[in-house]
Amino acid sequence: MPEADDFLVRFWGVRGSIACPGPNYARYGGNTSCLEVRCGPNLLILDGGTGLRALGESLRNEAVDADLYFTHSHFDHIAGLPFFKALFKPENRLRLWAGHL
C-alpha cells in the first residue's frame, strides 16, 4: 500500500506574466509558473517559468530523471529553462513535452 509521502505537489512559481521579486511578494512568492509533482519515483515538472531555477537548485544533489511539460510557450512559462542547472548535467535524463505549435 502506498505511503502518504509517495505523492507530493510543490509550487515553485505561480505569478502571472512577470516575475515579481522582493519582500512585498515573499508571502506568496514572485516566480512565474513551475510545479514539481512527485508520484513514487516519478518526477513531473509542469511549466518552466522562473520558479524552475529554484527547483533546479533543490535538485542539485540528486540524479534527475524527469518529464518537463509545457502547458504553452508564453515567455512566463519558459523563462526559467536556461537557468535550470539539471538540464546541463549530462548524467541527468530530462524529457521535454509540449503539445502545441
Side-chain angles (χ1 to χ4, degrees):
M1 176 170 257
E3 296 288 324
D5 293 346
D6 288 343
F7 187 77
L8 167 87
V9 176
R10 184 175 293 139
F11 293 83
W12 291 92
V14 296
R15 287 285 167 191
S17 298
I18 301 172
C20 304
N24 292 339
Y25 304 99
R27 182 172 181 174
Y28 299 109
N31 286 313
T32 60
S33 185
C34 181
L35 280 77
E36 169 189 8
V37 179
R38 292 184 182 261
C39 186
N42 301 307
L43 172 58
L44 308 175
I45 302 168
L46 305 176
D47 280 324
T50 59
L52 188 61
R53 183 193 57 79
L55 171 56
E57 289 296 322
S58 78
L59 297 172
R60 73 177 164 265
N61 294 323
E62 107 180 51
V64 176
D65 184 358
D67 291 279
L68 172 51
Y69 293 90
F70 295 98
T71 59
H72 59 285
S73 57
H74 287 167
F75 184 70
D76 55 318
H77 291 256
I78 63 170
L81 200 55
F83 307 100
F84 185 48
K85 291 181 181 179
L87 187 64
F88 301 101
K89 292 175 76 174
E91 64 272 19
N92 288 341
R93 291 183 44 104
L94 292 158
R95 291 162 299 281
L96 307 180
W97 301 88
H100 57 280
L101 298 176

